[in-house]
């Protein structure tokens, strides 16, 4: 019996070590990357922030799709990874002078990724409208709730929050075809609605 318990204990230890190392790897900040879209003279400026997943680039695709729609509505949009702001102070114009913030977080261990969480906790989003996106391979309910709480605790005005999945169907009525393509279709429709809403007085600080 002791031998069995020892073997089981050794297996659990190995699993824990591997899981810990894998967690550290996926949670590490990805490379710095940014681009600007739309009308640079627009009175409404949007900042979209994400940290790239090392396995899949659904986060980048989602952010690009969202940003492209807003840019077509004549808004100024900056899409950037967390690492693109390395060493930048929270009150720097590259972070603080935006009218809408969109944070896209990946789900690891049932929580939003560390990089995006850390960025939100240091960003000057008090009283600013915020959109939240939570991504995962399947269930993201706990991560989505956690991301929303981080935003509201920071004082951000959460105007919308949705989750999208890589494996779990994003639309139960469309089970055939690419799940990623379905996700991006949904993001495009949603982004269009958000863009239209920016023409209304949701930006109370302006």
């Amino acid at each position: 019996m002791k031998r069995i318990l020892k073997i089981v204990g050794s297996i659990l230890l190995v699993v824990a070590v591997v899981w810990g190392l894998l967690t550290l790897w996926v949670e590490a900040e990805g490379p710095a990357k940014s681009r600007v879209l739309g009308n640079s003279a627009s009175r409404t400026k949007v900042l979209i922030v994400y940290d790239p997943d090392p396995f899949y680039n659904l986060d980048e695709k989602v952010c690009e799709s969202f940003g492209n729609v807003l840019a077509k509505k004549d808004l100024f949009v900056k899409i950037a990874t967390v690492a693109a702001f390395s060493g930048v102070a929270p009150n720097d114009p590259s972070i603080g002078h935006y009218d809408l913030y969109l944070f896209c977080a990946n789900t690891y261990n049932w929580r939003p990724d560390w990089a995006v969480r850390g960025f939100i906790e240091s960003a000057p989003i008090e009283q600013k409208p915020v959109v939240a996106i939570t991504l995962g391979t399947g269930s993201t309910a706990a991560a989505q709730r956690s991301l929303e709480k981080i935003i509201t605790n920071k004082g951000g005005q959460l105007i919308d929050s949705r989750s999208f999945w890589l494996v779990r169907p994003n639309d139960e009525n469309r089970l055939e075809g690419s799940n990623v393509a379905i996700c991006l279709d949904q993001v495009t429709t949603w982004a269009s609605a958000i863009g239209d809403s920016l023409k209304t007085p949701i930006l109370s600080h302006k």
Side-chain angles (χ1 to χ4, degrees), residues 3-22:
R3 179 179 174 80
I4 294 176
L5 291 176
K6 186 175 181 180
I7 293 174
V8 171
S10 297
I11 292 173
L12 292 177
L13 178 60
V14 171
V15 170
V17 170
V18 172
W19 188 270
L21 292 174
L22 181 60

mmCIF file of all heavy atoms in Angstrom, residues 3-22:
data_model
loop_
_atom_site.group_PDB
_atom_site.id
_atom_site.type_symbol
_atom_site.label_atom_id
_atom_site.label_comp_id
_atom_site.label_asym_id
_atom_site.label_seq_id
_atom_site.Cartn_x
_atom_site.Cartn_y
_atom_site.Cartn_z
ATOM 1 N N ARG A 3 3.828 1.494 -1.135
ATOM 2 C CA ARG A 3 4.469 1.608 -2.443
ATOM 3 C C ARG A 3 3.522 2.272 -3.460
ATOM 4 O O ARG A 3 3.938 3.123 -4.238
ATOM 5 C CB ARG A 3 4.888 0.221 -2.938
ATOM 6 C CG ARG A 3 5.546 0.231 -4.316
ATOM 7 C CD ARG A 3 5.963 -1.174 -4.721
ATOM 8 N NE ARG A 3 6.467 -1.198 -6.072
ATOM 9 C CZ ARG A 3 7.687 -0.837 -6.432
ATOM 10 N NH1 ARG A 3 8.534 -0.406 -5.509
ATOM 11 N NH2 ARG A 3 8.071 -0.886 -7.696
ATOM 12 N N ILE A 4 2.244 1.880 -3.385
ATOM 13 C CA ILE A 4 1.253 2.461 -4.299
ATOM 14 C C ILE A 4 1.097 3.951 -4.032
ATOM 15 O O ILE A 4 1.066 4.768 -4.956
ATOM 16 C CB ILE A 4 -0.103 1.739 -4.145
ATOM 17 C CG1 ILE A 4 0.023 0.290 -4.620
ATOM 18 C CG2 ILE A 4 -1.182 2.473 -4.954
ATOM 19 C CD1 ILE A 4 -1.233 -0.526 -4.415
ATOM 20 N N LEU A 5 1.007 4.305 -2.741
ATOM 21 C CA LEU A 5 0.863 5.708 -2.382
ATOM 22 C C LEU A 5 2.082 6.517 -2.824
ATOM 23 O O LEU A 5 1.958 7.672 -3.264
ATOM 24 C CB LEU A 5 0.668 5.844 -0.873
ATOM 25 C CG LEU A 5 -0.661 5.322 -0.306
ATOM 26 C CD1 LEU A 5 -0.671 5.426 1.211
ATOM 27 C CD2 LEU A 5 -1.829 6.102 -0.903
ATOM 28 N N LYS A 6 3.256 5.902 -2.735
ATOM 29 C CA LYS A 6 4.478 6.586 -3.154
ATOM 30 C C LYS A 6 4.478 6.821 -4.657
ATOM 31 O O LYS A 6 4.864 7.904 -5.130
ATOM 32 C CB LYS A 6 5.688 5.757 -2.748
ATOM 33 C CG LYS A 6 7.024 6.447 -3.018
ATOM 34 C CD LYS A 6 8.186 5.629 -2.495
ATOM 35 C CE LYS A 6 9.511 6.340 -2.747
ATOM 36 N NZ LYS A 6 10.662 5.555 -2.237
ATOM 37 N N ILE A 7 4.024 5.815 -5.405
ATOM 38 C CA ILE A 7 3.966 5.950 -6.864
ATOM 39 C C ILE A 7 2.961 7.035 -7.256
ATOM 40 O O ILE A 7 3.242 7.884 -8.107
ATOM 41 C CB ILE A 7 3.588 4.607 -7.515
ATOM 42 C CG1 ILE A 7 4.718 3.589 -7.308
ATOM 43 C CG2 ILE A 7 3.296 4.800 -8.997
ATOM 44 C CD1 ILE A 7 4.378 2.194 -7.784
ATOM 45 N N VAL A 8 1.784 6.979 -6.616
ATOM 46 C CA VAL A 8 0.757 7.980 -6.903
ATOM 47 C C VAL A 8 1.264 9.380 -6.559
ATOM 48 O O VAL A 8 1.067 10.338 -7.318
ATOM 49 C CB VAL A 8 -0.537 7.675 -6.112
ATOM 50 C CG1 VAL A 8 -1.527 8.841 -6.246
ATOM 51 C CG2 VAL A 8 -1.170 6.388 -6.604
ATOM 52 N N GLY A 9 1.936 9.490 -5.414
ATOM 53 C CA GLY A 9 2.481 10.781 -5.011
ATOM 54 C C GLY A 9 3.505 11.305 -6.005
ATOM 55 O O GLY A 9 3.534 12.497 -6.323
ATOM 56 N N SER A 10 4.350 10.397 -6.515
ATOM 57 C CA SER A 10 5.367 10.800 -7.499
ATOM 58 C C SER A 10 4.717 11.276 -8.791
ATOM 59 O O SER A 10 5.147 12.270 -9.392
ATOM 60 C CB SER A 10 6.308 9.618 -7.784
ATOM 61 O OG SER A 10 7.008 9.232 -6.619
ATOM 62 N N ILE A 11 3.676 10.558 -9.200
ATOM 63 C CA ILE A 11 2.958 10.944 -10.429
ATOM 64 C C ILE A 11 2.328 12.317 -10.260
ATOM 65 O O ILE A 11 2.421 13.179 -11.147
ATOM 66 C CB ILE A 11 1.890 9.896 -10.780
ATOM 67 C CG1 ILE A 11 2.554 8.574 -11.194
ATOM 68 C CG2 ILE A 11 0.995 10.408 -11.909
ATOM 69 C CD1 ILE A 11 1.578 7.432 -11.401
ATOM 70 N N LEU A 12 1.676 12.533 -9.118
ATOM 71 C CA LEU A 12 1.032 13.819 -8.867
ATOM 72 C C LEU A 12 2.053 14.953 -8.822
ATOM 73 O O LEU A 12 1.791 16.060 -9.306
ATOM 74 C CB LEU A 12 0.256 13.766 -7.554
ATOM 75 C CG LEU A 12 -0.986 12.859 -7.537
ATOM 76 C CD1 LEU A 12 -1.607 12.840 -6.150
ATOM 77 C CD2 LEU A 12 -2.000 13.335 -8.568
ATOM 78 N N LEU A 13 3.227 14.675 -8.271
ATOM 79 C CA LEU A 13 4.278 15.686 -8.209
ATOM 80 C C LEU A 13 4.754 16.069 -9.602
ATOM 81 O O LEU A 13 4.926 17.249 -9.918
ATOM 82 C CB LEU A 13 5.450 15.172 -7.375
ATOM 83 C CG LEU A 13 6.656 16.121 -7.255
ATOM 84 C CD1 LEU A 13 6.234 17.434 -6.602
ATOM 85 C CD2 LEU A 13 7.776 15.456 -6.469
ATOM 86 N N VAL A 14 4.950 15.044 -10.454
ATOM 87 C CA VAL A 14 5.383 15.296 -11.831
ATOM 88 C C VAL A 14 4.333 16.111 -12.575
ATOM 89 O O VAL A 14 4.657 17.077 -13.283
ATOM 90 C CB VAL A 14 5.659 13.970 -12.567
ATOM 91 C CG1 VAL A 14 5.879 14.229 -14.056
ATOM 92 C CG2 VAL A 14 6.871 13.269 -11.968
ATOM 93 N N VAL A 15 3.067 15.724 -12.408
ATOM 94 C CA VAL A 15 1.969 16.452 -13.068
ATOM 95 C C VAL A 15 1.948 17.906 -12.607
ATOM 96 O O VAL A 15 1.787 18.830 -13.416
ATOM 97 C CB VAL A 15 0.618 15.775 -12.779
ATOM 98 C CG1 VAL A 15 -0.531 16.662 -13.252
ATOM 99 C CG2 VAL A 15 0.549 14.419 -13.450
ATOM 100 N N ALA A 16 2.113 18.109 -11.288
ATOM 101 C CA ALA A 16 2.092 19.463 -10.747
ATOM 102 C C ALA A 16 3.238 20.304 -11.294
ATOM 103 O O ALA A 16 3.052 21.479 -11.637
ATOM 104 C CB ALA A 16 2.155 19.407 -9.221
ATOM 105 N N VAL A 17 4.424 19.708 -11.399
ATOM 106 C CA VAL A 17 5.583 20.441 -11.916
ATOM 107 C C VAL A 17 5.384 20.796 -13.388
ATOM 108 O O VAL A 17 5.622 21.937 -13.807
ATOM 109 C CB VAL A 17 6.875 19.605 -11.735
ATOM 110 C CG1 VAL A 17 8.041 20.252 -12.487
ATOM 111 C CG2 VAL A 17 7.210 19.470 -10.252
ATOM 112 N N VAL A 18 4.939 19.810 -14.165
ATOM 113 C CA VAL A 18 4.699 20.053 -15.595
ATOM 114 C C VAL A 18 3.630 21.115 -15.781
ATOM 115 O O VAL A 18 3.772 22.031 -16.609
ATOM 116 C CB VAL A 18 4.294 18.741 -16.303
ATOM 117 C CG1 VAL A 18 3.847 19.029 -17.735
ATOM 118 C CG2 VAL A 18 5.457 17.756 -16.301
ATOM 119 N N TRP A 19 2.548 21.006 -14.993
ATOM 120 C CA TRP A 19 1.452 21.980 -15.089
ATOM 121 C C TRP A 19 1.946 23.384 -14.726
ATOM 122 O O TRP A 19 1.606 24.361 -15.394
ATOM 123 C CB TRP A 19 0.327 21.566 -14.149
ATOM 124 C CG TRP A 19 -0.919 22.396 -14.301
ATOM 125 C CD1 TRP A 19 -1.237 23.550 -13.627
ATOM 126 C CD2 TRP A 19 -2.001 22.154 -15.201
ATOM 127 N NE1 TRP A 19 -2.454 24.030 -14.042
ATOM 128 C CE2 TRP A 19 -2.946 23.193 -15.003
ATOM 129 C CE3 TRP A 19 -2.273 21.153 -16.129
ATOM 130 C CZ2 TRP A 19 -4.142 23.262 -15.720
ATOM 131 C CZ3 TRP A 19 -3.472 21.218 -16.838
ATOM 132 C CH2 TRP A 19 -4.381 22.262 -16.639
ATOM 133 N N GLY A 20 2.788 23.459 -13.687
ATOM 134 C CA GLY A 20 3.317 24.745 -13.280
ATOM 135 C C GLY A 20 4.208 25.368 -14.338
ATOM 136 O O GLY A 20 4.107 26.562 -14.629
ATOM 137 N N LEU A 21 5.082 24.561 -14.934
ATOM 138 C CA LEU A 21 5.969 25.063 -15.983
ATOM 139 C C LEU A 21 5.177 25.500 -17.214
ATOM 140 O O LEU A 21 5.485 26.526 -17.829
ATOM 141 C CB LEU A 21 6.988 23.991 -16.368
ATOM 142 C CG LEU A 21 8.036 23.643 -15.295
ATOM 143 C CD1 LEU A 21 8.891 22.467 -15.764
ATOM 144 C CD2 LEU A 21 8.912 24.850 -14.987
ATOM 145 N N LEU A 22 4.155 24.707 -17.561
ATOM 146 C CA LEU A 22 3.321 25.053 -18.704
ATOM 147 C C LEU A 22 2.571 26.360 -18.447
ATOM 148 O O LEU A 22 2.460 27.210 -19.344
ATOM 149 C CB LEU A 22 2.327 23.921 -18.980
ATOM 150 C CG LEU A 22 1.382 24.101 -20.184
ATOM 151 C CD1 LEU A 22 2.188 24.241 -21.465
ATOM 152 C CD2 LEU A 22 0.409 22.936 -20.288
#
